[in-house]
Amino acid sequence: MQQAEAVIVERYPQLVRLAYLSLPTSLDRHSRVLRAHRAVQQALRSAGRGSHGGGTGGSPGTEDRPDTLTAVRAEVVRRVAGPGRPPLPLPPWVWGLRMWPAAEGLDEIARTLAPLTPAARAAHVLCRLDGLDEPGAVRVLEHAGIRDAAAAVRAALAVPTGPADTTAPTGEAGPYTALPHPAALDAAAVNTRPSDLLRRRNRVRAVWAATGVLVLAAVLGRAAGGGPDPTASGPYAGSPAARTALDPARLVRVPAQAWSDTGRVDFTAWPARGSRTGDSALLTRALGTWAAPPEGTAVTVSPATPAEPPVRPPHLLYAGDADGPAGSPGGASAVVLLDGDRIVRYVERNGRRRSLDISRVDDAGVTTAAALTLGRTGDTARQLLAPWIATAAERDLGAPAEPVRTLPIDRDGTVLARVPRTDGPCGSRPVLEVASSARIVEKHSFLLADLGGLLPVHLTYTPLAEGAAAAVPARQPREATGPAALERWAQEACTLQGVDARAVRSVNLWDFAAADLPENSGRAVWSCSRATHWSGQGDVEVRLRPAGGSSVSVARARATAACGRFGQHVLAGTVWNAPSGRPYLLAAGSREVAEIDATGPVRAHASGRSLTAPASAPAPAPAARPALTARLHSGAVITALDGDRGGRD
């Protein structure tokens, strides 16, 4: 036990990092920090019983028992990723503060590892950050009770960590060449932020006063036959803190100009706007519906987002008209609240029909916290813009040559814009083109696409980088407002119809390769569009666009790191029919690809980033498709992105 305690004290930051990065990103950072500390601290007793003092010198019969460090690591893994564990370790309670790791880069790694299983995430940390070799990581996972430990380690090692592929959308290196040294990635060092600074000094007195008032009101309401109290049942029953959180008088309201004098430009800098921010009855209905949605309320929760009510007073962003004057025929009212990493929109139409939408907004910034949708009527939507947005216009993404239409911004910061039709063929695709105030950044405009969710999607573009990998600088995602970006998005605009608007924060269109087509058929561009979720995961689609023709889908993958900062090496292929009717196998890779091989029905080899070979059939069955692999300049081997997922060896 003493040896286990000594190991935990000595290795505490690394063990917390192991637990933090193994936990799912569906939890917010505050919850992961607290659960990681609890998992490490609870590992002491079990690890002390299940280990011997060192790797040698054990008593007879201890050959299969782990040394103390292995036992401690295994116990931490078991508590956050092992079989038979409780759903998640309960966090210790921390009132009045929100915590997140101080080390830059930890959350980027967490988002990269999000598609992996918990065991594979743990294996990745053990190998890439803690420095274990593959057998050592397998040993830790096996002692943690992981069934197929070797497979988890292989999946972990498939995540790239080497030099950057300079065609990658950001041109940055893998996690451990662009980010600090692993020793600097200390998850035990945290930043803190008060959750309710303005009211901290009066909290105790206010809680007791509010409790007394609410008890008296409940007694009087029961005598008068009043309506139900939304906090009278469920997990929040009898909780003074919950009653305080649902008190409209305690909603956090940010000063109107706070956004222009802060280093954090996101939803936390939004002031309370709208004509009904003082309407206590409307705010009470919104908070009550969130706490206990009445029967008939339409509730929509984005993937991997908790729906429970707040535990502290949320931040009021808006209260007012949703899509027209309140009380008018078809008019609706909306309340928008921010609770940590969640945005909540409450809408009521004529005081009767109610809806509640909850979306996560992790790490929102200047562009991804620039607007939200208040309501839709017919083919228009009322958008609430961030206070740092200076101008707004509407353009048709499918018609880049047409001029933009300037939209007036009313005093509450809202605009009325057209929305694309989703009930027929892809046609006009209206998007918002907004510009930030010069007080934030000069000459910065960007595109936001309303795809039907609570939050619009930020569109970016990464142009093709021609030339040798070492000779041409990497291209980075850029705002899709230039002529080339608008032209390419016009060609691919219809692909946005398949994006999950509830979960996606941004879509980047990356042209990663171009190659000549056989039979002098011109030049084709290979592109990968990545829809990045708020959770950090992404859905990708690779498309091939022949010169003068329409693009065709080549491969899709869900919940992947491909085509992003941590999935920089891409290989894809398809069978293409030339104008003569003859089929060809085409393949292309990103800039670090040195050579491509095809095996199976088509056997071919090509040096460089593209391959063309005659195919035996115009449309081979899935089981009989050629297998494609590519060797990178670093010597690593990757496999082609297929219809299910991408692979690496």
Side-chain angles (χ1 to χ4, degrees), residues 436-500:
S436 300
S437 166
R439 295 161 72 179
I440 295 293
V441 58
E442 293 185 5
K443 299 180 180 179
H444 178 220
S445 61
F446 50 94
L447 297 186
L448 299 174
D450 181 1
L451 303 182
L454 173 57
L455 302 166
V457 174
H458 179 213
L459 302 183
T460 57
Y461 173 62
T462 306
L464 186 67
E466 297 282 7
V472 180
R475 297 295 182 95
Q476 300 183 10
R478 56 192 64 182
E479 301 302 349
T481 53
L486 291 171
E487 184 66 32
R488 281 295 288 124
W489 263 116
Q491 296 166 348
E492 307 293 346
C494 292
T495 62
L496 292 174
Q497 287 185 316
V499 172
D500 184 354

Side-chain angles (χ1 to χ4, degrees), residues 109-134:
I109 298 173
R111 287 192 292 270
T112 301
L113 301 182
L116 301 179
T117 64
R121 291 195 293 266
H124 188 92
V125 177
L126 292 169
C127 293
R128 300 305 191 192
L129 296 180
D130 292 347
L132 272 66
D133 57 14
E134 187 170 345

Side-chain angles (χ1 to χ4, degrees), residues 208-232:
W208 283 108
T211 302
V213 171
L214 289 169
V215 168
L216 179 61
V219 171
L220 295 176
R222 181 179 297 274
D229 180 354
T231 63

